[in-house]
Amino acid sequence: MTTEPNGPTDQYSIETKDLCLWYGDFQALIQVRVRIRQGIITSLIGPSGCGKTTLLRCFNRVNERYGNVTTTGDVRVLGKNIYDEDVSLPELRKAVGMVFQRPNPLPISIYENVAFQLKVHAEPGSLSKRERDQAVESALKEVLLWDAVKDSLHKKATGLQLEEQQKLCIARLLPLKPQVILMDEPCSALDARGTEAIEDLMSVLRERYTIVIVTHNMAQARRASDECIYMLLGRIVEHGPTLDVFLRPNHKDTENYVEGRYG
Amino acid sequence: MNWRLLGERAIETLIRVCGVSAIVFVFGIFVFVLKEGWEFLTHRLDLVQFFTSIEWRPTSPNDPTYGALALLAGTAAVTAVAMAIAVPFGLGTAVFVSEFCRPRTKEALKIVIELLAAIPSVVWGFIGITLMNVTVIAVTGAPVGVNVLNSGVILALMSMPIIVSIGEDALKAVPDHFREAAESLGATRWQVVYKVLFPAAKNGLLAAVLLGVGRAVGETMAVLMATGHSIRMVFDSEPPVLHVLSPARTLTATIAAELGEAPKGSDHYQALFVIGLLLFAITFAINLAADLIVRGIRKE
Ligand SMILES: Nc1ncnc2c1ncn2[C@@H]1O[C@H](COP(=O)(O)OP(=O)(O)OP(=O)(O)O)[C@@H](O)[C@H]1O
Ligand SMILES: [Mg+2]
C-alpha cells in the first residue's frame, strides 16, 4: 500500500458494502454503501437519529461494546474486511482512532494519556523512556497543546479545560500514526473558540490522516470538509464533494436539510 | 406560629438528634472503655512492658505481668495472612463481577457472596475447628491444625464479602466512557482493568481493602476458636519470619475469653479494657485512613 503524503488520492481508506446494523430489532443502518477517500476530510451530516454515530462506530467496531448489536455486510479498512474472523480489535483500533463527542481523556496523567497507546501496543521494553517522551512531546506539539501543558504533564488529564481535553484526545491517537481518525461531533461540547481551535487542528492533520467527522454544524461541514455524506433514516442519501452537496444537491431531501429546513 | 411550621421544626430536630446521637454513642463507648481501664492505665500499668513483653500472665497470684506484644502480634499475623488471601481474591472477584461476567452469573455470585457475609462468626469458628483443622494438618503436616494459617483462611473468607462489595461499587462507579475510550485506543479488556479502572477506582479499592482489614482485626469469636488461643510470639525478628503454623492468640479473643472471669474493677479486668482501648485505636486509625483515602486527600 502506498501512502502519498500530499493531497487526496484515488485510494479509499474505508469502503462499506451492504452494511446493515441492528440494535436488537431496530435497524439503524440499511444497506450502507460508501467509499471514503484517503487523505481528505469527509463530513457526515444528517438529522438527529439518522445513524451517523452508528456508522462511524462501525469503522472501528466500537459498536460491539453494546451487547445487542448485529452487523452484516462488509467494512473494508485499507482493503481488509474488519468484520472478518481473523481481525484483531487492538490492531484495528490502532489503525482507526476515534474522538468522541464528549472529551474523554482517561483518568490518568496527561503524559500517560498520550503514551497510552504506545504502552498498550508496543512490545514491553521495545521503546526507551526517551523515545516515549519524544513521541509524547511531538504529539502534543502537533495538536498545539505542548506549550500549555509541558509543565503539568503529570497532572490528571481530567482536570484540563474541555477544549484542551479534546485536543489531548486527538493527541493521544497520533503517536502510533493511525490511518484514519473518526470524530463524532468533536466540537459539540466546546465554545466558539474551542471549535475554531479544533477546526484549525483538523486542517493541520488533513492529508496525513484520513478524517471522518460527524457534525450537526452545517457551516462547519462546509468550511472544514472536502467531501460530504448526507444520511437519512439509516441510509446514505448523497455523497460528493462538499460544495456540490451544499450547492447542487441531487436530492430534494439533502437540499432541504442543508438549507436548514429541517434537522 | 402555625402547626405546619411547628411540625417541620419538630421533624428537623428529630433528625438532628438522630444524627448527633451517632457521635454521642461512639464518644460514649470510648469514654466508658477509657473509664473502666483508666485507673490501672494511669497508675499501675507499665506501658513499656505492655508493648514490648510477651508475658501475658494477668492471673498469676504473686507476679502478674501484662505484656500484650504476643497478642498484638497474633492479631497482626492472622490479619496479615487473611489479607494476603482476601485482597487478591476479593479484588479479583470484584473485577470479575463488575467487568467480566454475564448478568446471570453476576446475580448468582452476588447472592453467594451475600450468603458468605451472613454466616455467623461462631459458625466460621466451628468450621475452623473441624474442617479447616483437619485440612491444615493434612496439607501442612503441622501437629495442630488450629493456628495462624487456619484462622487466617477463615478470616479471609469472612472479610471477602466486604472487599468484594465495596470493591465492586468502586469499579462500577467508574464512568463507562473511560472504558470506551480505552477500548477505542485498542486496549484489551484486561488492559482496561489495570491501566484505567485500577487507577480510576484506586481510592475506593484501597478503602475496600482497609475495611477488610478492619473486619479482620475486630473479629473475635471465629479467631478465638480457630487460632488455638495460646500465647506465642508468632513473629521472629532474626531472621524475620512469621510462623503461620504456630497457634496464636489475638487481642479480641483475649478479651472475650477472660473478661467473664476477671473480677470487676480488678487489675486484670482493667487491663482487658486497656486492650479494648488499643483495639479501639487501631480500628479507628484504619477507618480514618479509609475515610481520608476515599476523600482523596492522599493524592500523589
Ligand atoms: N445503543 C443503542 N441501542 C438501541 N438503539 C440505539 C442505540 N444507539 C442508537 N440507537 C438508535 O439508532 C438510531 C441511530 O442513532 P445514532 O446515534 O447513530 O444517530 P445520530 O445520527 O448519531 O444522531 P445524533 O445526531 O443525535 O447524534 C437512533 O434511532 C437511535 O435511537
Ligand atoms: Mg450522534
Side-chain angles (χ1 to χ4, degrees), chain B residues 34-81:
Chain B
L34 191 64
K35 188 175 109 338
E36 291 296 293
W38 183 253
E39 192 231 356
F40 178 69
L41 177 64
T42 49
H43 290 91
R44 288 189 300 287
L45 179 64
D46 179 355
L47 272 179
V48 175
Q49 185 195 55
F50 187 73
F51 281 113
T52 58
S53 161
I54 61 169
E55 304 289 331
W56 178 260
R57 284 197 311 251
T59 50
S60 163
N62 22 22
D63 179 26
T65 51
Y66 300 94
L69 183 61
L71 312 178
L72 200 58
T75 291
V78 292
T79 306
V81 171

Side-chain angles (χ1 to χ4, degrees), chain A residues 36-101:
Chain A
I36 291 168
R37 263 178 222 283
Q38 183 176 317
I40 63 168
I41 300 178
T42 303
S43 59
L44 198 50
I45 61 172
S48 204
C50 69
K52 307 181 291 294
T53 299
T54 305
L55 179 60
L56 203 69
R57 288 166 66 94
C58 282
F59 298 156
N60 67 352
R61 292 182 57 178
V62 76
N63 264 333
E64 289 163 34
R65 295 192 72 244
Y66 307 132
N68 62 345
V69 173
T70 325
T71 316
T72 62
D74 270 18
V75 177
R76 294 187 176 274
V77 172
L78 306 158
K80 168 93 183 121
N81 183 12
I82 61 171
Y83 285 85
D84 279 350
E85 293 272 306
D86 62 340
V87 168
S88 128
L89 285 184
E91 286 301 312
L92 168 64
R93 287 161 185 176
K94 187 167 115 183
V96 184
M98 182 166 233
V99 179
F100 294 80
Q101 189 163 2

Side-chain angles (χ1 to χ4, degrees), chain A residues 109-123:
Chain A
S109 73
I110 295 170
Y111 181 96
E112 289 295 330
N113 261 277
V114 184
F116 188 82
Q117 279 204 317
L118 290 175
K119 292 193 174 169
V120 163
H121 292 286
E123 301 284 314

Side-chain angles (χ1 to χ4, degrees), chain A residues 57 65-66 90 93 100 104-108 116-117 119-121 172-173, chain B residues 176-188 191 195-196 199-200:
Chain A
R57 288 166 66 94
R65 295 192 72 244
Y66 307 132
R93 287 161 185 176
F100 294 80
N104 58 357
L106 297 170
I108 49 185
F116 188 82
Q117 279 204 317
K119 292 193 174 169
V120 163
H121 292 286
R172 71 182 174 189
L173 303 175
Chain B
D176 190 56
H177 68 251
F178 289 142
R179 294 180 185 82
E180 185 169 80
E183 278 178 37
S184 79
L185 289 166
T188 61
Q191 285 172 327
K195 283 184 186 293
V196 179

Side-chain angles (χ1 to χ4, degrees), chain A residues 39 41 142 144 183 196-209 211 223-226:
Chain A
I41 300 178
E142 215 167 335
L144 312 172
M183 300 183 168
E196 199 185 328
I198 300 294
E199 281 179 23
D200 288 348
L201 189 52
M202 281 165 51
S203 65
V204 173
L205 299 176
R206 186 181 173 279
E207 296 180 7
R208 268 176 305 152
Y209 305 94
I211 297 177
R223 271 195 306 269
S225 69
D226 304 294

Side-chain angles (χ1 to χ4, degrees), chain A residues 5-258:
Chain A
N6 300 316
T9 64
D10 284 338
Q11 298 233 347
Y12 296 104
S13 285
I14 303 172
E15 296 175 80
T16 73
K17 217 165 73 191
D18 302 332
L19 175 65
C20 299
L21 182 143
W22 290 262
Y23 291 112
D25 297 335
F26 173 75
Q27 187 167 10
L29 295 179
I30 303 160
Q31 301 283 323
V32 170
R33 185 175 201 127
V34 68
R35 299 205 289 184
I36 291 168
R37 263 178 222 283
Q38 183 176 317
I40 63 168
I41 300 178
T42 303
S43 59
L44 198 50
I45 61 172
S48 204
C50 69
K52 307 181 291 294
T53 299
T54 305
L55 179 60
L56 203 69
R57 288 166 66 94
C58 282
F59 298 156
N60 67 352
R61 292 182 57 178
V62 76
N63 264 333
E64 289 163 34
R65 295 192 72 244
Y66 307 132
N68 62 345
V69 173
T70 325
T71 316
T72 62
D74 270 18
V75 177
R76 294 187 176 274
V77 172
L78 306 158
K80 168 93 183 121
N81 183 12
I82 61 171
Y83 285 85
D84 279 350
E85 293 272 306
D86 62 340
V87 168
S88 128
L89 285 184
E91 286 301 312
L92 168 64
R93 287 161 185 176
K94 187 167 115 183
V96 184
M98 182 166 233
V99 179
F100 294 80
Q101 189 163 2
R102 281 209 68 80
N104 58 357
L106 297 170
I108 49 185
S109 73
I110 295 170
Y111 181 96
E112 289 295 330
N113 261 277
V114 184
F116 188 82
Q117 279 204 317
L118 290 175
K119 292 193 174 169
V120 163
H121 292 286
E123 301 284 314
S126 66
L127 215 60
S128 74
K129 172 141 175 25
R130 255 198 65 214
E131 288 169 307
R132 204 160 49 218
D133 289 350
Q134 269 166 2
V136 169
E137 177 173 340
S138 69
L140 286 170
K141 278 186 170 151
E142 215 167 335
V143 300
L144 312 172
L145 197 55
W146 175 250
D147 289 325
V149 303
K150 63 170 183 278
D151 298 320
S152 52
L153 287 178
H154 296 285
K155 292 227 178 87
K156 275 235 170 138
T158 38
L160 292 170
Q161 292 164 5
L162 279 181
E163 173 196 334
E164 294 174 330
Q165 288 189 9
Q166 198 61 304
K167 283 180 171 176
L168 181 68
C169 290
I170 298 172
R172 71 182 174 189
L173 303 175
L174 304 182
L176 287 183
K177 307 261 174 291
Q179 317 280 351
V180 180
I181 297 180
L182 309 171
M183 300 183 168
D184 190 359
E185 304 189 37
C187 303
S188 68
L190 308 182
D191 60 11
R193 210 177 56 85
T195 303
E196 199 185 328
I198 300 294
E199 281 179 23
D200 288 348
L201 189 52
M202 281 165 51
S203 65
V204 173
L205 299 176
R206 186 181 173 279
E207 296 180 7
R208 268 176 305 152
Y209 305 94
T210 304
I211 297 177
V212 186
I213 174 174
V214 171
T215 179
H216 265 141
N217 178 335
M218 290 305 111
Q220 180 174 56
R222 223 170 139 157
R223 271 195 306 269
S225 69
D226 304 294
E227 288 195 358
C228 183
I229 300 170
Y230 173 65
M231 283 185 79
L232 186 62
L233 297 173
R235 294 174 201 270
I236 305 270
V237 175
E238 188 136 1
H239 181 185
T242 302
L243 281 184
D244 288 355
V245 171
F246 276 86
L247 301 178
R248 291 175 292 279
N250 292 325
H251 295 266
K252 194 75 194 152
D253 277 332
T254 319
E255 191 178 331
N256 288 341
Y257 181 72
V258 298

